[in-house]
Amino acid sequence: MAFEGLSEKLQGVFKKLKGKGILTEADINDAMREVKLALLEADVNFKVVKQFVDSVKEKALGQDVLASLTPAQQVVKIVNDELVSLMGGTNSKLTYSPRGFTVILMAGLQGTGKTTTCGKLANYLKKNGKKPMLAACDIYRPAAIDQLEIVGKNVDVPVFTMRDCKEPELIAEKAMKEAELKGYDVLILDTAGRLQIDEDLMNELVRIKQRTKPHEILLVVDAMTGQDAVNAATGFNEKLGIDGIIMTKLDGDTRGGAALSAKSVTGKPIKFIGVGEKFDALEPFHPERMASRILG
Ligand code: GDP
């Protein structure tokens, strides 16, 4: 599971603090140096680490923490609260159209888990009383359309395709009409991926966005790629504008830094996390639960 190394190190730091009883300013400084190292080793963005540690230190030294009866526990609480706020504070929910028909555009680089996540999201929505439909808007790889069809079968959600059409925005538009006509209330658009961000990909996504006016643009990123995932999110957000992030593969042995840095670096919240290959392995992202998991 993600965060194992970070979790172990932070717990070690706090154990040491708790063992001391009375704490001095030097103890806090030492502990914060260790927290800083642990976060850097977990691949958290260095600017984020600096802000985080400065903020914890200021709170730990500024309040009556050291004079209190349980200084170490209060330091742990400060770190916990800062972790929660770093990850966005509260759970960021999906935005649905007030009109009743919601379009979700899914973007992401190849291999991040985008197509699988479309299926997971459809499955999640179905479990939450929605009637989703999927649409295959990748015009480059016929195999991608096949894959989405298999995904659709697996979660028992229909998949709209137009195999001979070379205009993804037209496919998306037709899919919207079809979905509304047939009484579906959420349309999930699976789009083409690339190995890296390029202008063609962005222009294509912008065209789909203009044509479909999605209520949610979700970017799928792979936690295992660390800061590259955060950089991808920054790039997509600048060029396309995203509403949230779905971070996949947090079940792997990723160090977790991407999950801790994404909100602070991009300004966009992680809305869901992928925690396995199965279609039910998608969870709404709860910063406070993640912080408790890290701190043990
Ligand atoms: P795409 O190219 O972005 O559409 O990626 P795919 O949907 O084809 O997924 C690539 C691989 O990642 C597949 O083997 C998926 O099963 C796997 N995958 C996707 N999400 C997760 C996840 O949350 N955890 C794990 N362990 N594997 C995942």
Side-chain angles (χ1 to χ4, degrees):
M1 204 65 188
F3 296 115
E4 256 170 31
L6 176 64
S7 204
E8 203 176 299
K9 291 208 180 80
L10 291 181
Q11 285 171 25
V13 175
F14 297 138
K15 200 166 161 211
K16 223 192 280 175
L17 277 187
K18 281 180 185 155
K20 283 184 193 270
I22 296 170
L23 294 186
T24 64
E25 193 169 326
D27 292 328
I28 299 286
N29 285 334
D30 285 347
M32 286 309 120
R33 204 167 303 125
E34 288 179 49
V35 168
K36 185 173 178 177
L37 273 178
L39 290 169
L40 288 172
E41 275 172 37
D43 194 31
V44 180
N45 174 289
F46 73 95
K47 279 190 201 146
V48 173
V49 173
K50 185 165 183 335
Q51 276 167 9
F52 181 87
V53 171
D54 286 351
S55 173
V56 172
K57 217 192 267 185
E58 194 187 310
K59 289 191 173 119
L61 296 176
Q63 301 162 2
D64 295 328
V65 172
L66 298 186
S68 75
L69 287 174
T70 53
Q73 267 162 13
Q74 305 222 24
V75 173
V76 177
K77 181 167 185 324
I78 293 170
V79 170
N80 179 77
D81 293 351
E82 288 290 312
L83 275 178
V84 172
S85 118
L86 186 64
M87 290 186 280
T90 53
N91 163 241
S92 300
K93 295 196 166 62
L94 285 178
T95 306
Y96 295 108
S97 160
R99 217 168 50 77
F101 181 70
T102 301
V103 178
I104 302 179
L105 190 155
M106 302 283 280
L109 296 177
Q110 213 166 301
T112 52
K114 180 167 43 60
T115 302
T116 311
T117 304
C118 285
K120 288 181 180 180
L121 187 62
N123 189 46
Y124 171 86
L125 291 170
K126 232 173 69 169
K127 292 214 166 108
N128 284 276
K130 299 282 176 192
K131 258 190 96 181
M133 183 184 211
L134 291 156
C137 302
D138 184 342
I139 53 165
Y140 306 100
R141 293 187 313 130
I145 304 176
D146 300 341
Q147 190 192 347
L148 192 68
E149 283 189 319
I150 295 168
V151 162
K153 272 206 189 85
N154 271 299
V155 296
D156 196 19
V157 168
V159 179
F160 181 88
T161 64
M162 279 172 74
R163 284 183 184 267
D164 297 326
C165 180
K166 291 288 167 218
E167 283 174 73
E169 63 274 26
L170 185 64
I171 303 174
E173 195 178 41
K174 288 254 160 82
M176 275 173 77
K177 288 204 177 109
E178 168 108 350
E180 267 201 282
L181 194 71
K182 292 195 168 160
Y184 294 95
D185 56 13
V186 185
L187 178 67
I188 301 171
L189 303 170
D190 186 19
T191 60
R194 293 270 210 292
L195 290 177
Q196 57 199 36
I197 295 180
D198 65 44
E199 209 163 312
D200 286 348
L201 169 66
M202 285 304 166
N203 290 340
E204 180 176 312
L205 289 168
V206 167
R207 286 200 305 275
I208 300 176
K209 175 184 175 181
Q210 284 165 347
R211 199 73 80 86
T212 60
K213 305 206 167 32
H215 305 90
E216 278 281 351
I217 300 183
L218 297 176
L219 181 72
V220 179
V221 298
D222 175 348
M224 301 291 286
T225 62
Q227 287 309 307
D228 283 347
V230 180
N231 294 337
T234 306
F236 274 84
N237 191 37
E238 279 168 3
K239 300 207 168 68
L240 175 67
I242 62 172
D243 299 300
I245 296 168
I246 300 188
M247 191 164 281
T248 62
K249 307 184 196 178
L250 270 168
D251 51 309
D253 58 359
T254 161
R255 288 178 286 164
L260 287 174
S261 319
K263 171 73 192 338
S264 178
V265 174
T266 67
K268 300 296 171 174
I270 298 177
K271 294 201 172 184
F272 288 92
I273 53 173
V275 291
E277 297 198 74
K278 297 214 176 90
F279 288 108
D280 58 1
L282 182 78
E283 296 173 3
F285 182 62
H286 289 281
E288 64 289 359
R289 280 185 212 162
M290 191 57 89
S292 326
R293 218 174 77 190
I294 295 171
L295 296 180

